[in-house]
Amino acid sequence: MALRSLYLPLFGALTTIVLLLLLRAGQRLWTPAHTVRSDLEQGQLAHALVQIGQVLGLFLISGAVVAGSAEGESLAWDALWIAAHGLLAMVLLEVFGNLGVRVLLRSRLHAEVERENVAAGLAAGGHYLATGILLSKSVSGSDLGSLGVSLVFFVLAQLTLHAFVLLFRTLTVYDDAEEILGENLAAAFGYAGVTVALSIIIGHAVEGTFVDWGTSLRGYGLALLFALALYPVRQLFVQTLLLGARFSFRGGRLDQGIAVERNLGMGVMEAVSYLAAAFLVTRLG
């Protein structure tokens, strides 16, 4: 274990650097016009926000993979499993991040990012970050058995995230996807905020030592109850207490401010409130 504490920070740094280099190489191969460097240098904010979500996700994955895969018994064995989990997690980030954006925000979103729709870039970047959070909580281990369990819970977490995001979108009287495709930045902040907040809560539910399927799935289901706290955050805390509007079970003053007025402050406040609530409930739970 003393050996582990010595090389863990080094492995963390090396893993992050390698994954970022692989991301850069992949971008040069598949999307040469849109790498991190080109998007930032050319001020392409929509693309840059997508890149930021991916990079943040990779940093989270790197730390989690190293901490969860290195046992300190053998340097070579730890390096092997860190490399395997790191590469797998990176592929899953790209595949499920892209798939999630297409499922939840429709296939037109990528065309909107190309058109420099900043709201679309923010929503897509938020989803990549949410996927990275889930991966950081689920993909680790030092044998094939633990890897298999990790993959099952990651897929379960992804399905749960999609289901909760779709359910939460029924709280609004406007269509989140249409508003984001229509360059409504306030709606994009609210969407990204709730997506990342839900990933924090779902990721917390995934964490823990695997005992058996029955026990672990029951624990997972109970931990997901914390996601229900985001409903009063929107309808009661933000809309009623902060905006001073009348309480409503669905829609209300907040919807008016975001969909009609496109009030950026309201969108940011909604997003920050979701994140604060997620950090609070996972800390207490």
Side-chain angles (χ1 to χ4, degrees), residues 64 85 92 131-141 146-147 149-155 157 203 206-207:
H85 283 107
L92 291 175
T131 304
I133 290 171
L134 294 181
L135 281 166
S136 72
K137 301 297 183 180
S138 55
V139 178
S140 64
S146 61
L147 177 59
V149 171
S150 295
L151 290 176
V152 169
F153 272 99
F154 169 68
V155 173
V206 169
E207 282 186 303

Side-chain angles (χ1 to χ4, degrees), residues 193-209:
V194 76
T195 303
V196 174
L198 284 168
S199 73
I200 292 170
I201 295 172
I202 296 168
H204 179 69
V206 169
E207 282 186 303
T209 303

Side-chain angles (χ1 to χ4, degrees), residues 176-192:
D176 296 70
E178 283 301 320
E179 290 296 326
I180 292 169
L181 294 173
E183 302 188 49
N184 187 337
L185 196 54
F189 265 105
Y191 175 86

Side-chain angles (χ1 to χ4, degrees), residues 235-277:
Q235 299 301 108
L236 181 61
F237 180 75
V238 177
Q239 181 164 272
T240 304
L241 295 181
L242 295 182
L243 298 181
R246 187 173 63 182
F247 174 77
S248 60
F249 286 99
R250 180 174 180 267
R253 178 68 183 94
L254 188 57
D255 280 33
Q256 171 76 15
I258 290 177
V260 179
E261 301 168 16
R262 298 197 170 196
N263 188 307
L264 185 58
M266 288 188 187
V268 174
M269 179 59 73
E270 181 187 7
V272 170
S273 298
Y274 289 144
L275 294 172

Side-chain angles (χ1 to χ4, degrees), residues 42-197:
Q42 297 170 22
Q44 296 179 319
L45 184 55
H47 284 93
L49 288 171
V50 177
Q51 306 276 14
I52 289 168
Q54 293 174 331
V55 170
L56 284 173
L58 284 181
F59 268 89
L60 293 173
I61 289 169
S62 297
V65 164
V66 173
S69 302
E71 296 184 339
E73 300 296 331
S74 167
L75 185 64
W77 189 252
D78 286 349
L80 174 65
W81 280 106
I82 289 171
H85 283 107
L87 290 173
L88 175 63
M90 181 179 177
V91 172
L92 291 175
L93 175 66
E94 293 301 312
V95 171
F96 280 87
N98 189 296
L99 179 63
V101 167
R102 291 182 180 276
V103 169
L104 295 174
L105 291 169
R106 304 171 190 170
S107 58
R108 286 169 49 201
L109 190 91
H110 289 285
E112 287 298 313
V113 173
E114 287 293 329
R115 197 172 63 82
E116 273 304 294
N117 180 340
V118 177
L122 177 61
H127 194 84
Y128 274 106
L129 175 56
T131 304
I133 290 171
L134 294 181
L135 281 166
S136 72
K137 301 297 183 180
S138 55
V139 178
S140 64
S142 56
D143 56 65
L144 291 176
S146 61
L147 177 59
V149 171
S150 295
L151 290 176
V152 169
F153 272 99
F154 169 68
V155 173
L156 178 61
Q158 275 287 309
L159 293 174
T160 305
L161 176 64
H162 288 201
F164 270 103
V165 170
L166 290 173
L167 180 63
F168 217 79
R169 282 170 56 180
T170 64
L171 292 177
T172 62
V173 295
Y174 60 85
D175 186 329
D176 296 70
E178 283 301 320
E179 290 296 326
I180 292 169
L181 294 173
E183 302 188 49
N184 187 337
L185 196 54
F189 265 105
Y191 175 86
V194 76
T195 303
V196 174

